[in-house]
Amino acid sequence: MIVGAGIAGLTAASALARRGWLVEVAETSAEGATVGWGLSLTGPSLRALDQLGLADQCLTAGYGMRTITNTDAHGAVAPVALPCLLGEDRPAMAGIARPELHRILHTAALRLGVRIRYGLSVSRLAQQAGQVHAELTDGTTRTVDLLVGADGIRSTVRDLTGCTAPVDYHGQMVWRALVPRPDWATGIHTYASTGHQTGLVPISATQAYVFLTENGVRPDVLPDSELAERMAELLASFAGRVAEFRPLVARSGSVVRRPVQTVIVDAPWSHGSSVVIGDAAHAPSPQMTSGAALAIEDGLILAEELDRQQDVPKALESFTDRRWERCSVLVKTSVAISRLEQEQRHRDSHQLIDACHRQMAQPA
């Protein structure tokens, strides 16, 4: 049983089903519900998706790219060429709408026989004779050989298994607005100012999302009806290309605002035959655009370790051993980038992002 039908949960479901596991997924949200408008699939994301035969579907549904162009507060431009992990004939990364990625992962899991139930989560867990006894929120129970918590940064499974970790807020709020893609936007563009950072990420031939990182604010909640206007106001201090897409933000009917938060669970990530993966185990801040990469890699490597060892608890320990350093380094790097941004040290943050992308390009 997998708790959570997000990126980590659906990837793990497909990877396990391909190896002969009978998989049921419990998702607390309603069917078809997704959070956010778009995300970036970095090279490691595409490399892992390619192992599931899904990379080309994502590239077709999204927008392939090769560069990140960073512009500092003084107008100096610093392009970063990303490593092409699938070969020079395919893009280095892709922007994609979250609903499109969910559709691709959901369809793949169903095709492999995965059963997905919505409006459902787990309320209690107990280890029994090498298995996990799970009580679900609809009053039913399951006894399974493996329980995977892929239920996000506020994970219920993490708490139930005793893999506790604080959710840290880093003094930033990230805004995202869905807009038409400008013709000039063929890669990711970022812009720094003396107060905030913004940028634009293509997610299809016709759409992009604008992000804005707001520094030094409390994690309060604003009415949805005010978000587009408030985001456009925050963009007023930027010139150049930002002035071109600022009116698009003001007219956008799709704006979200979320706190920059991180989690890293100390090893082990498992208890008996239960394990946490994805954001439940390691949630980086969005500056590295690599949360999806870690989540997708988790699903594949979890299945590999379970295939390599028949003893489930030992396989889960080996999974943590393979993943902990890579994931913790990325989370800690994302926190360092957040701090550099708030100190207005944008050139240092760009160099750190570039170095971390190159480190992530190494085999998982």
Side-chain angles (χ1 to χ4, degrees):
M1 168 160 273
I2 297 173
V3 182
I7 296 172
L10 291 175
T11 303
S14 289
L16 290 166
R18 284 160 64 98
R19 287 168 168 79
W21 287 77
L22 299 177
V23 182
E24 180 179 12
V25 179
E27 168 56 47
T28 188
S29 301
E31 185 171 2
T34 57
V35 177
W37 309 122
L39 54 81
S40 297
L41 294 174
T42 59
S45 305
L46 294 174
R47 177 175 59 194
L49 286 165
D50 206 36
Q51 294 184 48
L52 291 172
L54 301 177
D56 287 327
Q57 291 185 49
C58 291
L59 289 170
T60 299
Y63 192 92
M65 299 174 285
R66 292 176 179 266
T67 59
I68 300 174
T69 303
N70 300 308
T71 304
D72 68 18
H74 306 290
V77 176
V80 175
L82 297 167
C84 295
L85 303 186
L86 299 186
E88 291 299 325
D89 59 332
R90 296 158 89 184
M93 69 183 302
I96 191 170
R98 280 185 178 271
E100 284 296 302
L101 178 60
H102 180 82
R103 175 187 60 79
I104 291 167
L105 297 177
H106 181 266
T107 301
L110 292 180
R111 189 182 301 119
L112 290 164
V114 174
R115 183 185 180 192
I116 304 174
R117 299 185 61 198
Y118 290 91
L120 189 65
S121 187
V122 62
S123 58
R124 187 176 179 183
L125 298 175
Q127 303 285 329
Q128 296 181 343
Q131 294 182 307
V132 182
H133 181 76
E135 295 184 14
L136 306 184
T137 51
D138 65 352
T140 62
T141 61
R142 303 286 190 278
T143 300
V144 297
D145 298 309
L146 170 68
L147 187 132
V148 180
D151 50 343
I153 194 170
R154 300 285 179 183
S155 171
T156 297
V157 174
R158 185 177 67 223
D159 293 339
L160 292 174
T161 55
C163 298
T164 57
V167 177
D168 295 322
Y169 173 66
H170 297 285
Q172 294 177 309
M173 298 292 288
V174 171
W175 302 67
R176 291 185 178 89
L178 190 65
V179 300
R181 183 185 70 86
D183 291 340
W184 51 263
T186 57
I188 294 178
H189 292 260
T190 76
Y191 306 88
S193 78
T194 55
H196 312 298
Q197 298 77 234
T198 189
L200 187 141
V201 181
I203 58 174
S204 74
T206 59
Q207 290 185 313
Y209 72 85
V210 174
F211 68 86
L212 171 76
T213 308
E214 184 183 10
N215 293 320
V217 288
R218 297 175 57 188
D220 56 351
V221 178
L222 300 176
D224 289 349
S225 60
E226 297 180 8
L227 292 180
E229 182 179 354
R230 290 283 296 274
M231 185 175 178
E233 289 174 358
L234 290 169
L235 291 171
S237 62
F238 294 87
R241 292 287 196 188
V242 180
E244 293 182 32
F245 60 70
R246 180 173 172 249
L248 302 178
V249 171
R251 295 193 296 269
S252 176
S254 302
V255 181
V256 294
R257 179 177 182 261
R258 299 286 185 268
V260 172
Q261 297 174 320
T262 61
V263 163
I264 182 66
V265 178
D266 288 334
W269 293 345
S270 61
H271 174 66
S273 297
S274 302
V275 67
V276 290
I277 68 173
D279 280 357
H282 47 72
S285 73
Q287 281 90 342
M288 275 303 305
T289 63
S290 294
L294 295 184
I296 297 165
E297 288 178 349
D298 275 358
L300 289 172
I301 293 173
L302 176 64
E304 287 177 9
E305 291 301 318
L306 288 162
D307 209 30
R308 194 170 64 86
Q309 299 193 50
Q310 292 188 346
D311 183 90
V312 171
K314 288 183 179 179
L316 299 184
E317 291 174 5
S318 296
F319 165 75
T320 304
D321 289 343
R322 281 185 65 180
R323 298 298 291 156
W324 195 86
E325 183 175 0
R326 180 178 177 86
C327 296
S328 63
V329 165
L330 191 133
V331 172
K332 292 173 183 177
T333 300
S334 75
V335 173
I337 293 166
S338 172
R339 184 171 61 250
L340 289 171
E341 288 179 345
Q342 294 180 79
E343 294 172 355
Q344 307 300 311
R345 294 168 58 189
H346 301 298
R347 181 170 298 180
D348 291 340
S349 71
H350 295 160
Q351 292 173 348
L352 190 54
I353 290 170
D354 183 29
C356 193
H357 276 304
R358 298 191 180 282
Q359 184 175 358
M360 283 289 292
Q362 299 302 312

